[in-house]
Amino acid sequence: MIVSLGISGLLTRTATAALRTLAPGGRARWERKNYAGRTVELYAGPAAALAAAVAAGRVRPAAGAAVAVAGACGAYDDFAGAGDPRRGFRAHLTALREGELTSGAVKLFGICAAGLLAGALMKERAVDKVLAGVVIAGAAHAVNLVDVRPGRAAGSVLALAVPGLLRKGPAAELAAAATGAAGAVLPDDLGERAMVGDAGAHALGAALGAAVVAGAGRAGLVAHAAAVVAAAVCGERVSALAGARG
């Protein structure tokens, strides 16, 4: 567990520094205004996603792949969807029905597919495979839902990872992968110097979901699947209400 924690944390800091130095596409592309109008950097999100994927992949390759895809899909939405005011599944699915493939729809389908595939590889029974996929994809979405203020996504990951860290084996290792990356980005996130964005939030959530899948039986999978589905439904209602008021 200590190794996974160290790899994830160190690689997050190293990758963040490298991205800040290189700034692919120009620095302006990596800057956003946060809720308070302050300029923050996006480097930490892809860095955390990469680190969590590498740390998770050495424990469970399927989990690492799911984390990587979740991070990549989130990064695509961070950049391709910048400025798109649409929020929530309904808005993106409505656009799809009208013939427009939004970055949010790409993210939705990509993360769901990656979660289901990882769940299928991590569990043996058919029902457990489906439940595991729901937990991984749902956890990725749930962490992104709370990413509305500085430190909330990373802080939530640290809190939710505690039960996994108290376990043994792959569950603890995967929880440590999420914890190391979240802990590495939290100071800059809280200091409003950086934001994890969709890339970081989705990847860290997927790592948490994979940790649950690695250590849970049928009952645990059902409980966690119900929780992430409920979170998605509540989040969709909030998004719809915000859109109506806007």
Side-chain angles (χ1 to χ4, degrees), residues 8-24:
S8 186
L10 181 60
L11 184 53
T12 297
R13 299 299 295 182
T14 301
T16 299
L19 283 173
R20 185 180 292 117
T21 299
L22 297 172

Side-chain angles (χ1 to χ4, degrees), residues 3 18 52 164 224:
V3 174
H224 283 86

Side-chain angles (χ1 to χ4, degrees), residues 59-66 69 113-134 136 174 210 213-214:
V59 181
R60 285 285 189 273
V69 172
L116 288 170
L117 179 58
L121 293 173
M122 292 178 70
K123 291 297 184 181
E124 295 182 358
R125 297 180 180 275
V127 173
D128 293 341
K129 291 175 184 290
V130 174
L131 289 170
V134 171
I136 294 171
L174 292 170
V213 168

Side-chain angles (χ1 to χ4, degrees), residues 88-89 134-135 137-146 160 223-239:
F89 296 150
V134 171
V135 170
H141 180 62
V143 170
N144 190 54
L145 283 176
V146 302
L160 293 171
H224 283 86
V228 296
V229 169
V233 171
C234 291
E236 187 67 18
R237 289 178 179 174
V238 171
S239 295

